[in-house]
Amino acid sequence: MDTTARWCTATELGAGYRSGALSPVAVTEELLATIDDENPVINAFCLVDSDAAMRDARESARRHADGIPVGPLDGVPVSIKDLFLTAGWPTLRGSELIQPEDDAWTVDAPVVARLREAGAVLLGKVTTPEFGWKGVTDSPRCGVTRNPWNSDRTSGGSSGGSAAAVAAGLGPLSVGTDGGGSIRIPASFCGIVGFKPTFGRVPLYPASPFGTLAHAGPMTRTVADCATMLDVLSGFDPRDWWAMPTPTTSSAEKLALAPDHLDGVRIAYSPDLGFGTNSPVVQRNTEVAVDALRGLGASVTEIDLSWSDPAWAYHILWFSGADVVVRALGPGAHEKIDHGLAAALARHAGFSATDYLDATAVRMALGVEMGNLHLDYDVLITPSTPRVAFEAGVDVPAGSDSPDWTSWTPYSYPFNLTGQPAITVPSGFDDDATAPLPTGLQIVGARHADDTVLRVAAAYERIAPFRTWEGAR
């Protein structure tokens, strides 16, 4: 079997379809066979619908043959995180408490609807921790999802199935959610690109129980693919009362026209936000990346934000939402869910309306501070995570002084509090010669400056000495 298509980007697949060098049918057949072979090891897919995928592929092949593809993702395989409603498939959210007969399963979430309209080939659904509650991916229903670089390590979460699938060559695209880092954490751990757009850019339905913390966005192998997928996912949907208007310009087209250099771009660099601690390899790789951005012409200033950790405020907002989810499942649900979630809800319980308003005040103050920062700087650079992926099957790394997943990912959830766009791109590897693990660079922009974030990420990607996902070729 020809395995070259397995590692093609969405951009490469689209070009191959248009030229006739590749066929959506052959590519889909190859990927389905690869999933059969490799998914048992990493456990990224919790549902594969070969019949539906091949039907999508054949319909796409006919459109390409007739010269009428519906867009750049026509025929491109994609996976769907199992938090999104997908007509014809169950949405079980990693929980044993949700059964297929509990819902008619006839509705597409906005992201799924847009992907269908774009002609994408839907391969199946990928794993999530129960209700997407934590920064690693294991669940009572689906078990442990593992890192393709080292199956003893976690893929991260909560979009760990998405990241593992893309990194392992089980499809070039996936769509994830991010309420505290759930796109960026696993993308960083698995060495791919993951983008949390400005809140409201990508509509959600049903509304997330985590409210305005929750974003949806693309998980891809390249920044160009990320921009193309963002164009498809973006746009008004009446079911989301926070949804922004449909963009009138294309992020992918803007990115294609952007210069290779970063002359005039003002970058603030914070290695720790004032309260994080990085491993030596993360610190080294981040500094190398920052130097590379300087070499592209950007003005880079290291700043001292001196933030206090806003985790307490985040916990009030996050676990209030999680408690609503579990209570809705009826009496006794707390005894049947992920033990880690039950313990977290016990630790973070009894919040009052005043507590909630105090937490909201913290996020508003952070938003004001970041708004002022972006008067002077176009983007903020941080590490994506302070360490590489740790052992699979645990919520926190060995030796952690806290049971909360937020304790080991300090650079992600603050920007869910502020609703800003943030992307992670690969920044290198650790020094393990046998099974090296990726590190990530986070680029944060002002609200609604998604295209600026993509431009900086793409410029860095062009000169970075690796694309981590190619390591498996």
Side-chain angles (χ1 to χ4, degrees):
M1 179 174 61
D2 180 8
T3 59
T4 56
R6 170 186 177 186
W7 295 109
C8 284
T9 66
T11 301
E12 291 166 342
L13 289 177
Y17 296 158
R18 290 189 295 274
S19 70
L22 294 172
S23 161
V25 172
V27 168
T28 302
E29 287 175 337
E30 178 185 323
L31 285 174
L32 289 170
T34 305
I35 292 168
D36 283 344
D37 291 342
E38 301 198 10
N39 192 60
V41 175
I42 61 172
N43 189 34
F45 279 85
C46 55
L47 181 153
V48 178
D49 192 336
S50 299
D51 291 340
M54 291 307 303
R55 182 175 63 249
D56 290 347
R58 287 189 292 269
E59 291 172 356
S60 174
R62 283 193 290 270
R63 289 191 294 270
H64 280 286
D66 293 339
I68 52 170
V70 294
L73 296 189
D74 200 335
V76 176
V78 62
S79 57
I80 307 295
K81 184 177 181 179
D82 193 30
L83 293 182
F84 293 111
L85 294 180
T86 309
W89 295 344
T91 301
L92 302 178
R93 302 175 178 87
S95 180
E96 293 282 10
L97 296 178
I98 300 176
Q99 300 300 323
E101 60 270 18
D102 292 343
D103 199 303
W105 317 111
T106 59
V107 175
D108 278 335
V111 294
V112 178
R114 300 296 87 78
L115 288 166
R116 289 195 202 273
E117 292 165 5
V121 173
L122 274 57
L123 296 170
K125 306 198 82 171
V126 282
T127 55
T128 175
E130 194 165 23
F131 311 120
W133 81 272
K134 59 183 175 179
V136 296
T137 299
D138 58 71
S139 72
R141 177 173 285 277
C142 299
V144 178
T145 298
R146 300 178 180 275
N147 195 306
W149 292 94
N150 181 338
S151 60
D152 292 331
R153 301 298 184 97
T154 180
S155 63
S158 66
S159 304
S162 293
V166 173
L170 309 186
L173 306 176
S174 192
V175 59
T177 62
D178 190 316
S182 289
I183 286 173
R184 291 159 290 152
I185 295 164
S188 176
F189 277 3
C190 293
I192 65 167
V193 176
F195 187 36
K196 177 184 77 70
T198 295
F199 178 76
R201 174 75 182 262
V202 176
L204 287 170
Y205 174 82
S208 171
F210 303 110
T212 55
L213 296 173
H215 304 230
M219 303 180 72
T220 66
R221 296 189 185 129
T222 66
V223 178
D225 279 5
C226 186
T228 299
M229 194 175 182
L230 181 64
D231 283 343
V232 169
L233 300 179
S234 298
F236 177 74
D237 189 296
R239 297 174 293 174
D240 182 351
W241 68 290
W242 282 306
M244 291 166 54
T246 301
T248 57
T249 58
S250 163
S251 292
E253 290 177 3
K254 287 183 180 178
L255 191 62
L257 295 172
D260 292 345
H261 62 77
L262 292 177
D263 293 353
V265 175
R266 305 162 302 166
I267 296 177
Y269 164 48
S270 174
D272 57 15
L273 297 184
F275 62 91
T277 302
N278 301 325
S279 71
V281 69
V282 165
Q283 187 63 36
R284 179 197 69 198
N285 289 358
T286 304
E287 290 176 356
V288 170
V290 168
D291 285 342
L293 291 166
R294 286 193 182 99
L296 286 167
S299 169
V300 181
T301 304
E302 184 168 344
I303 63 171
D304 181 8
L305 289 174
S306 299
W307 283 1
S308 298
D309 188 352
W312 70 268
Y314 177 82
H315 289 157
I316 290 171
L317 302 170
W318 183 255
F319 288 108
S320 294
D323 187 58
V324 169
V325 171
V326 176
R327 287 181 184 276
L329 296 170
H334 282 77
E335 286 73 48
K336 300 174 184 176
I337 56 173
D338 181 333
H339 296 310
L341 174 56
L345 289 173
R347 288 194 302 275
H348 303 288
F351 299 130
S352 67
T354 299
D355 294 330
Y356 200 92
L357 291 174
D358 288 344
T360 301
V362 167
R363 72 182 303 190
M364 290 190 292
L366 281 177
V368 170
E369 182 170 352
M370 289 305 299
N372 287 327
L373 181 143
H374 285 295
L375 294 175
D376 298 318
Y377 301 101
D378 299 300
V379 297
L380 170 69
I381 299 291
T382 76
S384 299
T385 59
R387 57 170 300 145
V388 297
F390 50 87
E391 58 270 30
V394 297
D395 293 349
V396 299
S400 177
D401 59 2
S402 170
D404 289 319
W405 64 266
T406 47
S407 65
W408 54 263
T409 179
Y411 310 137
S412 55
Y413 57 83
F415 303 109
N416 294 84
L417 291 170
T418 61
Q420 295 171 252
I423 197 169
T424 181
V425 291
S427 63
F429 293 93
D430 68 5
D431 297 323
D432 189 326
T434 304
L437 290 165
T439 61
L441 182 75
Q442 179 173 233
I443 304 167
V444 183
R447 279 177 52 83
H448 313 297
D450 301 61
D451 291 339
T452 299
V453 171
L454 292 168
R455 178 194 168 190
V456 174
Y460 171 71
E461 180 186 61
R462 278 192 290 270
I463 54 90
F466 49 77
R467 293 197 292 179
T468 57
W469 51 270
E470 289 188 317
R473 287 192 175 188

